[in-house]
Structures are given as C-alpha cells and as structure tokens.
Amino acid sequence: MYITRREYFNAAHKIANPEWDEAKNQEVFGGCANPNWHGHNYVLYVTVKGNINKETGFVVNLKKLSGVMRKHIIEKVDHKNFNLDVPFLKDILPSAENIAVAFWNELEKPVSDLGCKLHSLRLHETENNYVEYFGEK
C-alpha cells in the first residue's frame, strides 16, 4: 500500500555553475542564474509504502509523517536560500533534481524509523515543473 503526504514551503536559489562565466550561465540557466536570486513556492509530496497495520488501519500515521517532513526538511528550508542557508545543500547546484535527491537523503532513515519505506519524493517547483525521485536502484 502507498500513501502520500503533501507539505508546502518557500525558498530562494540561484542555479549557476561556478566553473562558467556569467554569460554561459545565463545562456544555459536563463533567469535561474539571476545574480540576485529568485524564489519558488514549492510543494513537496512524499509517498511511503508498507503494510496496513491491523490495529490502526494505517500504513503510517500521517501526522507523524508530516512531523518528519517538517523536522527534517520544511523547518530547514522554508523561507531560506538554498545556496546560502541550508547545510545539507552546501556545494550542491540547487536544481530541482539535486534538491530532490538531497531531500531523499534527509528523509530515508527517519521515514524508515516510522515503520514504512520511502517510495518516492515529488517536488513541484512551479505549476508546470516538477521532479520525481525514487531513490537509487
């Protein structure tokens, strides 16, 4: 059985390869390379899988899953700058893809401690763009 929890947060970032000059970063990343940063209203979906507990009828208590998401991700990134303020994103080019992998790494163990397995993580950066990550296979 699979179950998904959604959380929201806001964050800023700049996507620019430090090995490239400003012109090349603008060519490849466009407005995402803005030297003055830019931000998004993110939506994070975390899907877990497991067996239904006969006593509760739950795969996981969604209140506890929400607490894990808030403690390990939301409280660390909400209204922050990914490039400057988030230690687990240090030295990582903060594309949606890389952010999703970093979030997975932060969540995998605490989700497992709830008695279920992290199945997928979907990160919506805009209404039109999202990434979905299923972990390393």
Side-chain angles (χ1 to χ4, degrees), residues 79-124:
H79 289 87
K80 301 283 174 43
N81 182 314
F82 288 146
N83 302 78
L84 303 175
D85 302 325
V86 182
F88 68 83
L89 291 171
K90 184 174 176 16
D91 299 324
I92 294 174
L93 190 69
S95 65
E97 295 89 339
N98 285 335
I99 295 165
V101 171
F103 283 8
W104 180 281
N105 293 336
E106 293 296 305
L107 289 172
E108 190 170 26
K109 170 83 169 76
V111 165
S112 177
D113 291 345
L114 295 176
C116 52
K117 183 173 168 61
L118 190 55
H119 171 70
S120 67
L121 186 149
R122 181 187 294 190
L123 181 64
H124 287 246

Side-chain angles (χ1 to χ4, degrees), residues 52-81:
I52 301 170
N53 180 300
K54 291 182 196 270
E55 293 177 351
T56 65
F58 298 160
V59 170
V60 66
N61 181 321
L62 286 175
K63 195 171 208 174
K64 289 183 179 182
L65 180 58
S66 174
V68 163
M69 293 169 68
R70 296 194 67 68
K71 178 181 178 182
H72 294 277
I73 302 297
I74 307 304
E75 291 173 7
K76 295 178 181 180
V77 301
D78 191 30
H79 289 87
K80 301 283 174 43
N81 182 314

Side-chain angles (χ1 to χ4, degrees), residues 3-58:
I3 189 163
T4 303
R5 174 68 188 186
R6 176 183 65 191
E7 298 286 345
Y8 300 91
F9 66 93
N10 303 296
H13 68 151
K14 174 175 67 175
I15 304 176
N17 186 324
E19 304 294 318
W20 298 346
D21 64 20
E22 189 173 337
K24 175 137 185 182
N25 277 303
Q26 284 294 322
E27 175 189 331
V28 173
F29 301 117
C32 294
N34 183 337
N36 295 315
W37 319 99
H38 72 283
H40 298 283
N41 299 315
Y42 288 91
V43 184
L44 174 63
Y45 294 86
V46 171
T47 300
V48 301
K49 64 182 176 179
N51 296 317
I52 301 170
N53 180 300
K54 291 182 196 270
E55 293 177 351
T56 65
F58 298 160

